[in-house]
């Protein structure tokens, strides 16, 4: 055996301290963005049936949730609104007293240090469940941009720190950037859903956001899961139009895309660990089939390794607890 020539890679794995010393990627609580679903009414704290541990929260129950978020050290939340009333044009998305606007003002009043990211889309607010204006059964691009700009400006006026448009209309970043600047919000960043696939992993979210399309699907504006080069074209357009962050959504099935985006663009990259990914882990854990903590921490670390700077995840509170215990 003394004549063999080989490398001793295990030397750097021999103890926990050495493994920690040479670890290449680190997950931090600061990396986590926690999504919240806010609803109208009072006394509402209803668990989403397909997303254990995720709740619809009315404003009066939002304070307790935010107390926990802050105590855990999570510094950013992403707000989704579920209105009581919907119409063809998604009026509640840009109403001064829309549910996201009210929730934003509440959080900024009571938790001013928390970064509030407002999801800017229409699907939760339209009666047809699509992310834009419908004409003759088609989602029209340019008329939709006008409403998205109104929504973004309304959210900024309510105190949102970051605008996160998720609609995948062509030109949405350029339109929103121009609208924010014209309204005096030049310093509000745009966290663009730059690369958003038409994914089967969104199912539980559509229950949570009550945003299932009432006809057809979203494949005419969200991306084909088979396409890789298209992701670069989408991201490149958003960078040119003034995006400040680039989101890749979903997460686990698209880690190659995260790495491509990270390698090609000099902006913070955000990965969205979406509802279907979350629900699969939760279901398997509840059946005792997996080690939930081990799976979640490995998954989130893998997203960091792929190139994500920030992670939007429903696991954020659990991950923050586990990070505190390490």
């Amino acid at each position: 055996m003394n004549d063999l020539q080989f490398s001793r890679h295990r030397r750097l794995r021999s103890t926990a301290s050495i493994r920690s010393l040479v670890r290449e990627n680190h997950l931090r609580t600061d990396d986590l963005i926690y999504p919240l679903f806010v609803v109208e009414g009072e006394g509402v704290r209803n668990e989403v049936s397909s997303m254990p541990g995720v709740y619809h929260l009315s404003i009066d129950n939002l304070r307790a949730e935010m107390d926990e978020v802050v105590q855990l050290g999570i510094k950013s939340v992403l707000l989704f609104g579920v209105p009581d009333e919907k119409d063809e044009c998604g009026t509640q998305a840009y109403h001064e007293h829309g549910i996201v606007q009210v929730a934003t003002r509440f959080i900024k009043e009571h938790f001013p240090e928390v970064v509030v990211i407002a999801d800017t889309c229409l699907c939760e607010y339209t009666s047809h469940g699509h992310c834009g204006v419908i004409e003759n059964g088609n989602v029209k691009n340019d008329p939709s941009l006008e409403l998205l700009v109104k929504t973004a400006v309304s959210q900024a006026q309510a105190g949102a720190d970051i605008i996160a448009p998720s609609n995948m209309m062509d030109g949405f970043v350029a339109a929103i950037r121009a609208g924010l600047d014209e309204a005096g919000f030049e310093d509000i960043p745009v966290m663009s859903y730059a690369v958003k696939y038409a994914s089967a992993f969104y199912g539980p979210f559509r229950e949570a956001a009550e945003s299932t399309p009432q006809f057809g699907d979203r494949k005419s504006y969200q991306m084909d899961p088979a396409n890789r080069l298209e992701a670069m074209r989408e991201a490149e357009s958003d960078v040119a139009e003034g995006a400040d962050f680039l989101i890749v959504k979903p997460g686990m099935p698209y880690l190659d895309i995260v790495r491509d985006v990270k390698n090609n663009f000099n902006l913070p990259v955000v990965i969205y660990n979406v509802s279907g990914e979350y629900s699969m882990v939760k279901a398997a854990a509840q059946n005792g089939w997996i080690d939930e903590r081990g799976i979640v921490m490995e998954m989130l670390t893998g997203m960091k390794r792929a190139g994500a700077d920030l992670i939007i995840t429903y696991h954020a509170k659990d991950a923050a607890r586990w990070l505190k215990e390490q």
Side-chain angles (χ1 to χ4, degrees):
M1 294 294 290
N2 292 336
D3 295 334
L4 295 178
Q5 298 294 321
F6 57 89
S7 299
R8 301 244 178 219
H9 300 293
R10 290 179 58 190
R11 290 171 181 156
L12 299 185
R13 307 174 196 151
S14 57
T15 69
S17 295
I18 291 177
R19 291 192 294 272
S20 179
L21 188 67
V22 299
R23 185 162 294 141
E24 299 174 23
N25 295 279
H26 297 270
L27 179 68
R28 307 172 305 152
T29 302
D30 286 354
D31 302 328
L32 306 175
I33 299 170
Y34 186 52
L36 291 168
F37 295 95
V38 289
V39 301
E40 299 185 59
E42 295 182 357
V44 180
R45 190 176 186 271
N46 297 331
E47 189 172 39
V48 178
S49 63
S50 59
M51 299 178 69
V54 174
Y55 294 86
H56 285 147
L57 297 165
S58 55
I59 298 299
D60 56 320
N61 278 320
L62 187 56
R63 182 158 196 160
E65 185 78 2
M66 289 303 304
D67 281 335
E68 183 180 17
V69 166
V70 170
Q71 186 272 327
L72 289 169
I74 298 169
K75 297 179 179 177
S76 306
V77 295
L78 173 61
L79 291 184
F80 295 97
V82 184
D84 281 347
E85 298 181 7
K86 302 187 180 193
D87 57 33
E88 287 289 309
C89 295
T91 305
Q92 291 299 310
Y94 44 87
H95 195 285
E96 179 183 0
H97 299 295
I99 186 59
V100 164
Q101 288 79 355
V102 172
T104 298
R105 285 192 288 268
F106 177 87
I107 293 173
K108 296 310 295 184
E109 177 183 356
H110 297 285
F111 306 91
E113 73 282 8
V114 172
V115 175
V116 173
I117 306 168
D119 179 81
T120 305
C121 198
L122 301 175
C123 60
E124 298 106 303
Y125 306 92
T126 55
S127 53
H128 47 72
H130 279 284
C131 303
V133 175
I134 302 294
E135 292 182 11
N136 299 320
N138 296 314
V139 181
K140 303 299 289 185
N141 196 89
D142 295 6
S144 301
L145 295 180
E146 298 176 16
L147 299 185
L148 293 167
V149 170
K150 291 176 65 174
T151 301
V153 171
S154 175
Q155 292 168 338
Q157 289 171 337
D161 298 290
I162 298 174
I163 298 300
S166 60
N167 52 87
M168 289 298 284
M169 297 295 110
D170 290 337
F172 69 98
V173 173
I176 288 172
R177 181 72 273 160
L180 289 171
D181 291 352
E182 184 177 343
F185 295 107
E186 300 91 344
D187 294 331
I188 297 294
V190 174
M191 180 182 284
S192 169
Y193 285 71
V195 181
K196 182 178 179 181
Y197 286 90
S199 173
F201 283 88
Y202 301 151
F205 173 90
R206 290 176 181 173
E207 178 195 349
E210 299 179 6
S211 62
T212 302
Q214 297 304 299
F215 65 91
D217 54 42
R218 296 181 177 143
K219 293 181 180 179
S220 70
Y221 46 102
Q222 295 178 2
M223 291 172 50
D224 185 340
N227 291 356
R228 185 174 184 178
L229 296 179
E230 184 182 10
M232 297 303 100
R233 297 196 296 271
E234 288 281 357
E236 186 175 18
S237 294
D238 286 6
V239 171
E241 293 171 17
D244 300 284
F245 302 79
L246 300 173
I247 299 176
V248 176
K249 180 182 181 181
M252 289 298 290
Y254 300 94
L255 295 181
D256 59 324
I257 307 301
V258 174
R259 174 45 59 186
D260 285 346
V261 171
K262 184 65 173 179
N263 287 346
N264 283 277
F265 303 102
N266 191 26
L267 288 176
V269 176
V270 186
I271 192 170
Y272 199 142
N273 175 212
V274 299
S275 60
E277 300 167 61
Y278 172 86
S279 295
M280 288 191 300
V281 170
K282 283 292 184 181
Q286 288 182 347
N287 279 283
W289 296 337
I290 61 170
D291 170 8
E292 181 179 0
R293 175 173 177 166
I295 289 284
V296 170
M297 298 305 280
E298 181 177 344
M299 181 170 62
L300 298 181
T301 300
M303 292 175 180
K304 291 285 291 183
R305 188 187 64 247
D309 298 291
L310 300 169
I311 303 171
I312 302 168
T313 178
Y314 304 97
H315 295 291
K317 291 196 298 183
D318 286 335
R321 290 188 190 95
W322 295 329
L323 286 167
K324 281 179 175 288
E325 294 170 6
Q326 287 183 358

